[in-house]
Amino acid sequence: MINDIEIIKTEATKINEVDFDNLAFGSVFSDHMLECDFKDGKWHAPKVVPYHPITLDPSAKIFHYGQSVFEGMKAYKDAKGDVYLFRPLENFKRLNISSKRLAIPELPESYFMDGLKALLEVDKAWIPQQEGSSLYIRPFVFASGNGFHASPANAYKFVICTAPSGAYFSGKVKVLIEQTYSRSANGGVGFAKAGGNYAGQFYPTQLAVEKGYQQVIWTDDTNHEFIEEAGAMNIFIRINDTLITGPTSDRILDGITRKSIIDIANAEGIPVEVRKISVHEVVEAAKNGTLKEMFGAGTAAVISPISGFGYKDSDYDLPELDNTYANRLKKIITDIQTNKSEDPFGWRYKL
């Protein structure tokens, strides 16, 4: 527990310039940020400061060797104005799992949690109350130490920035099952939220967009035989009444929304299978009419329905259903997040 976190408040708030009824995702930033430095072999006390640019030496190792990890979280306000987080300790644990894989020093829990609470208290007014809106929270750690030698840095910076945001996606997306490029490989860093994982996705996604798709379905790196993730999200596939998602591995992120959906589905009596699912199985299900739904799951969008997919120059449309698992599960999870329902799982964290 950190008793005293230094707080330096901005001299002039930007909040009056923001149209909270028309918020794009992650493009407007709150007044303050949290900063914490690792140097001389230890993490120093975090502090809340005005949002500002970060100045780095050109030799800072983040530019050359890519030591950078991040998380995505949200804060919500209920009808009474109370503020809630959703499973924040899971984000803290995963940040340290990612950090360890990239040889970044792990953070103390109190620095993450107490620093986050202090930041949200200062910028509480930035948490929107409009339906579907939230305060997106981006904790990240990167190598700030200098030097061209290919080795871990001797200094790092932990930052939390926040951005009031509306809904991440609107409508359904059409996806392309990838047959050439891979998101990650066995023994790699696919399970970590490393910045480079996402940079490597951009080019194949651009190629898919040029073909008329909005996103890519990633497959395994060996034979492109098994479905793994959807863009930057975990993926769920419904065949008949069974919901299927791949097991986590070196290549697949242990998504917090993913495991929440699995627990909710089990509680709701929805059959769930966590297993490998082949592209062939999905294509055959689409052909014989047993493929009912596909959707991505992640913090930003919660659940993003997929309207159809392309594979080997053929397109397959999913049926229009009146009562989808996607809508049902999204309502349950967002009602928990925004304090509109009971929380039988103990996931909601009140500030």
Side-chain angles (χ1 to χ4, degrees):
M1 180 73 182
I2 304 173
N3 293 323
D4 294 306
I5 292 180
E6 183 181 1
I7 296 174
I8 304 171
K9 291 189 177 181
T10 184
E11 294 180 359
T13 180
K14 303 170 292 184
I15 198 167
N16 297 323
E17 304 168 12
V18 178
D19 180 1
F20 280 87
D21 292 320
N22 294 285
L23 288 170
F25 179 80
S27 59
V28 175
F29 304 100
S30 313
D31 281 331
H32 298 90
M33 58 193 273
L34 182 87
E35 280 191 333
C36 182
D37 288 302
F38 180 93
K39 54 186 178 182
D40 302 323
K42 65 179 181 179
W43 284 105
H44 293 254
K47 57 184 178 181
V48 175
V49 298
Y51 185 91
H52 67 94
I54 296 172
T55 302
L56 294 171
D57 192 281
S59 69
K61 290 200 173 186
I62 177 57
F63 298 135
H64 308 280
Y65 304 113
Q67 278 184 291
S68 174
V69 297
F70 71 95
E71 277 296 319
M73 310 169 63
K74 288 180 178 178
Y76 308 86
K77 261 185 192 167
D78 68 7
K80 296 186 295 183
D82 291 330
V83 177
Y84 295 89
L85 298 170
F86 183 72
R87 308 187 75 175
L89 284 174
E90 294 296 324
N91 292 100
F92 162 70
K93 292 173 186 175
R94 193 172 62 185
L95 185 69
N96 272 349
I97 289 170
S98 299
S99 293
K100 185 175 182 178
R101 179 62 182 83
L102 271 74
I104 296 171
E106 296 173 50
L107 274 163
E109 180 180 319
S110 61
Y111 282 38
F112 184 95
M113 290 301 299
D114 293 346
L116 176 58
K117 286 186 279 187
L119 175 62
L120 294 181
E121 183 62 36
V122 171
D123 276 348
K124 185 177 180 180
W126 283 86
I127 306 172
Q129 216 162 348
Q130 289 84 343
E131 185 71 26
S133 296
S134 59
L135 185 73
Y136 185 78
I137 302 167
R138 173 54 61 87
F140 59 101
V141 187
F142 65 91
S144 56
N146 302 334
F148 291 147
H149 189 268
S151 62
N154 61 3
Y156 298 85
K157 187 177 284 288
F158 168 53
V159 178
I160 304 178
C161 296
T162 63
S165 299
Y168 188 52
F169 289 120
S170 59
K172 296 183 178 182
V173 296
K174 188 178 178 184
V175 299
L176 179 66
I177 295 180
E178 182 57 49
Q179 302 170 65
T180 302
Y181 297 98
S182 297
R183 176 189 171 273
S184 57
N186 288 330
V189 297
F191 68 91
K193 283 189 76 71
N197 288 347
Y198 298 82
Q201 295 184 30
F202 295 155
Y203 177 65
T205 303
Q206 285 178 351
L207 297 180
V209 169
E210 290 171 4
K211 295 177 181 178
Y213 303 91
Q214 285 82 50
Q215 198 47 268
V216 167
I217 296 271
W218 300 105
T219 50
D220 67 281
D221 64 300
T222 306
N223 299 311
H224 298 285
E225 179 183 0
F226 294 99
I227 299 288
E228 297 209 326
E229 292 198 352
M233 309 176 79
N234 294 120
I235 187 169
F236 285 83
I237 296 165
R238 175 185 175 185
I239 296 179
N240 288 317
D241 291 330
T242 300
L243 200 57
I244 307 165
T245 192
T248 56
S249 66
D250 284 351
R251 303 184 308 276
I252 298 177
L253 184 74
D254 186 12
I256 295 164
T257 306
R258 172 191 174 276
K259 52 191 172 188
S260 302
I261 287 172
I262 293 170
D263 288 347
I264 291 170
N266 283 325
E268 289 289 302
I270 296 172
V272 180
E273 294 180 1
V274 179
R275 62 170 174 83
K276 288 186 175 183
I277 181 166
S278 69
V279 176
H280 175 75
E281 182 179 356
V282 174
V283 171
E284 286 304 305
K287 288 179 178 179
N288 65 33
T290 58
L291 180 63
K292 303 301 184 184
E293 294 181 69
M294 298 170 66
F295 55 85
T299 297
V302 184
I303 288 177
S304 181
I306 293 169
S307 62
F309 67 91
Y311 179 65
K312 289 188 175 178
D313 299 321
S314 294
D315 284 326
Y316 302 87
D317 293 324
L318 274 74
E320 291 283 346
L321 303 178
D322 291 330
N323 299 302
T324 65
Y325 284 175
N327 288 341
R328 178 178 170 188
L329 293 166
K330 183 172 184 176
K331 184 178 190 311
I332 292 171
I333 198 169
T334 55
D335 282 355
I336 291 172
Q337 289 171 333
T338 55
N339 196 32
K340 291 179 181 176
S341 70
E342 295 298 318
D343 176 17
F345 306 98
W347 293 336
R348 197 162 50 223
Y349 185 97
K350 186 177 181 180
L351 289 181

